[in-house]
Amino acid sequence: MALWGGRFTGAADERFKRFNDSLRFDCRMVEEDIVGSIGWSKAIRDVGILTPDEQARLEQALNELLSEVRADPEIVAASGEEDVHSFVESSLIRKVGDLGKKLHTGRSRNDQVATDIKLWCRGEIDLLKKSVTELERALVSAARRFQDVVFPGYTHLQRAQPVTFSHWAIAYAEMFDRDYLRLCSTQKLLNRCPLGSAALAGTAYPVDREKLAKDLGFDEATRNSLDSVSDRDHIMELLSDASISMVHLSRFAEDLIFYNSGECGFVELSDGVTSGSSLMPQKKNPDSLELIRGKTGRVIGHLTAMLVTAKALPLAYDKDLQEDKEGLFDAVDTWHASLDMAALVLKDIRIRTDRAETAAKGGYSNATELADYLVKKGVPFREAHGLVGRMVVYAISQNKPLEDMSVEEFRQISPAVSDDVYGILTLDSVRAKRSAKGGISRERVEEEISFLEKRLAERG
Ligand code: ARG
């Protein structure tokens, strides 16, 4: 049943109805719409629109509807209504007759939909926070499991300096931790209730909006009705949180795809998260990670779409705003699935310690150590840098690593080198020296892993 029609003599064109109706996707907010409606019934009872008995009957019928849609969510979309708000109201009228028609007093679908979306985002953020936390846990647990595995570290995708697998894993734990904090901040900022703003100018009944807000679990009521019904900042923020986090996930995926490649072979993904080729029997492809990387574009696209939809929209509500939902739902689902998949990939990942360590030793990644060594011997750094460059060229020409050069060979290029040079060229020495906060030394990485474990344990 349409919620309007009195002003119309002709029926809506079928094609327009299909174009206009939002039930197909906004049915996802049916629980929020029912909860918001119960809140509103109390608010208008308190100003005498409903008697306490009428409100109780409405609340009971709405709770009944809630159980029905929980038991069979399909009934919502199958109802053929214009949108979720029409579905709830029509269902209510079917249950309690004319009394159901009183519920919409002083309310508009504009403040109703704004409230529903906020309630939906708030609930979804709780779930997303859990998934982000699980991924952080998976990273920290992998860091713990492979604590001493040395990995090549890259800049420009050239082997630069050795790091450890743990250090790499907790780098991503840091990123996802910021994603978690971003979700908390988005959730906090959106938690102001627009209900009672009506169509745009505020409800014409002296409703206690602060009480209503508290009733629905909001911190407070919004302060301006025009803003309340047209604000979609929280959707932009959640999409931005999703996009930033997907960028983190995509880089994580790309790193592992590279490490898992035949060329590197530093890690091996489990059979559970890889797939084969229909043609080439030898293949085991990192589809899980490629899909995470691929889906990132889609989520960023939804953020862009929301921003562009809202730009240049006149106050207050315009139907353009109905376009806020499909992208939001898809982005949240995609982000969620990607977070869970990333955690799954880490669960059974194998590290090929020997290959990683050999690569970490190769590529002259201890050249910086040699330059620092010369500095200690009194050579100015810029000069040391040049001398070590020449040592690397020489070692390449001899097809051997720096640590296999003899003291005589070193001294041909710089007489500052003596026997004690070999100690500083080992992986152990490289790690041990980087003991300032955030560095790769054993103690620092241990400290960081423990810190993260503690923080995640506190999160519960
Ligand atoms: N389906 C609409 C939306 O998602 C609900 C609000 C309708 N408001 C209106 N004035 N037609 O935005």
Side-chain angles (χ1 to χ4, degrees):
M1 181 191 66
L3 299 179
W4 39 271
R7 188 205 184 287
F8 293 78
T9 42
D13 190 292
E14 240 337 284
R15 286 164 294 185
F16 167 70
K17 186 169 157 48
R18 251 180 281 128
F19 192 63
N20 184 56
D21 287 3
S22 53
L23 185 70
R24 176 172 57 80
F25 49 88
D26 67 17
C27 57
R28 266 188 91 153
M29 306 189 304
V30 67
E31 295 201 13
E32 289 76 11
D33 200 77
I34 295 172
V35 167
S37 294
I38 293 174
W40 185 246
S41 72
K42 291 178 187 162
I44 57 173
R45 171 199 60 200
D46 293 349
V47 294
I49 308 290
L50 296 174
T51 67
D53 173 60
E54 287 175 327
Q55 189 280 329
R57 275 159 60 208
L58 283 184
E59 184 168 347
Q60 199 199 340
L62 284 163
N63 275 322
E64 232 176 76
L65 184 61
L66 190 58
S67 312
E68 284 161 24
V69 300
R70 276 186 183 152
D72 184 8
E74 306 289 310
I75 59 171
V76 189
S79 70
E81 295 285 350
E82 178 184 340
D83 56 24
V84 69
H85 324 295
S86 317
F87 167 79
V88 170
E89 207 173 320
S90 306
S91 308
L92 191 61
I93 293 168
R94 260 196 305 281
K95 282 180 186 296
V96 298
D98 281 352
L99 171 60
K101 296 181 184 165
K102 285 191 175 181
L103 177 65
H104 209 54
T105 316
R107 182 176 74 164
S108 155
R109 278 185 292 168
N110 297 353
D111 59 343
Q112 196 178 347
V113 74
T115 307
D116 290 0
I117 300 173
K118 282 188 163 182
L119 289 172
W120 187 86
C121 288
R122 198 172 73 193
E124 209 62 29
I125 289 175
D126 280 336
L127 302 176
L128 286 164
K129 275 157 62 177
K130 283 204 184 104
S131 283
V132 174
T133 302
E134 282 316 310
L135 176 54
E136 288 184 65
R137 289 205 171 105
L139 283 160
V140 174
S141 129
R144 194 41 102 200
R145 254 179 295 148
F146 305 112
Q147 196 161 344
D148 270 321
V149 179
V150 178
F151 246 62
Y154 296 84
T155 60
H156 314 272
L157 210 51
Q158 307 274 321
R159 266 172 275 170
Q161 288 172 348
V163 294
T164 61
F165 177 81
S166 297
H167 202 62
W168 172 87
I170 57 178
Y172 282 100
E174 286 293 316
M175 294 178 229
F176 294 116
D177 208 64
R178 292 194 297 272
D179 295 344
Y180 179 88
L181 294 175
R182 259 184 284 275
L183 277 170
C184 297
S185 130
T186 299
Q187 199 175 34
K188 177 93 193 108
L189 201 53
L190 72 71
N191 210 24
R192 295 173 189 160
C193 183
L195 200 55
S197 300
L200 76 163
T203 185
Y205 298 84
V207 163
D208 183 347
R209 291 194 52 226
E210 287 303 335
K211 180 163 181 282
L212 171 61
K214 297 268 154 48
D215 224 41
L216 292 174
F218 288 97
D219 295 329
E220 57 187 341
T222 53
R223 309 187 70 89
N224 179 292
S225 59
L226 286 173
D227 176 44
S228 302
V229 295
S230 53
D231 168 31
R232 294 294 182 274
D233 290 8
H234 40 286
I235 296 184
M236 297 170 195
E237 276 205 349
L238 187 48
L239 287 170
S240 156
D241 298 347
S243 299
I244 294 172
S245 185
M246 284 302 293
V247 168
H248 293 154
L249 283 161
S250 187
R251 296 182 77 172
F252 164 86
E254 169 59 21
D255 271 354
L256 285 180
I257 290 166
F258 173 62
Y259 297 158
N260 181 67
S261 67
E263 283 65 23
C264 291
F266 307 152
V267 304
E268 193 184 330
L269 302 180
S270 80
D271 288 359
V273 295
T274 47
S275 77
S277 155
S278 57
L279 179 83
M280 300 162 282
Q282 82 282 15
K283 295 263 283 192
K284 189 173 153 188
N285 300 326
D287 299 36
S288 47
L289 295 167
E290 289 170 323
L291 280 168
I292 290 175
R293 190 177 58 187
K295 286 173 192 293
T296 302
R298 210 162 107 197
V299 174
I300 295 170
H302 290 316
L303 168 63
T304 309
M306 184 67 246
L307 292 168
V308 179
T309 299
K311 107 169 238 310
L313 266 195
L315 288 188
Y317 178 85
D318 305 275
K319 198 59 173 269
D320 313 45
L321 289 175
Q322 179 167 289
E323 287 298 309
D324 60 357
K325 287 171 215 63
E326 285 170 285
L328 171 69
F329 295 158
D330 183 60
V332 165
D333 289 345
T334 305
W335 180 19
H336 223 134
S338 303
L339 288 165
D340 294 347
M341 189 49 57
L344 187 64
V345 166
L346 284 168
K347 196 171 125 277
D348 293 322
I349 197 167
R350 286 187 38 220
I351 309 288
R352 298 171 69 183
T353 310
D354 49 328
R355 289 196 56 123
E357 194 161 302
T358 307
K361 276 192 193 144
Y364 301 94
S365 59
N366 51 2
T368 317
E369 305 313 301
L370 195 47
D372 288 339
Y373 170 87
L374 291 177
V375 167
K376 245 197 193 142
K377 300 280 172 178
V379 183
F381 181 77
R382 197 44 59 212
E383 206 171 299
H385 187 281
L387 291 168
V388 175
R390 283 170 54 202
M391 291 168 186
V392 170
V393 170
Y394 174 80
I396 291 173
S397 76
Q398 301 300 302
N399 198 18
K400 61 185 176 190
L402 288 168
E403 55 272 29
D404 284 0
M405 280 170 64
S406 67
V407 179
E408 289 68 42
E409 286 172 311
F410 279 122
R411 292 176 68 93
Q412 294 277 324
I413 299 169
S414 169
V417 177
S418 55
D419 270 348
D420 57 355
V421 72
Y422 297 105
I424 62 105
L425 291 175
T426 64
L427 287 173
D428 271 347
S429 156
V430 173
R431 282 177 71 186
K433 277 164 71 187
R434 285 163 175 78
S435 61
K437 186 172 176 136
I440 59 163
S441 78
R442 265 199 189 83
E443 309 75 61
R444 283 296 90 78
V445 173
E446 167 58 41
E447 205 172 270
E448 282 313 306
I449 294 176
S450 302
F451 171 78
L452 289 165
E453 282 170 344
K454 190 161 160 278
R455 186 157 66 182
L456 290 169
E458 279 162 10
R459 212 180 277 170

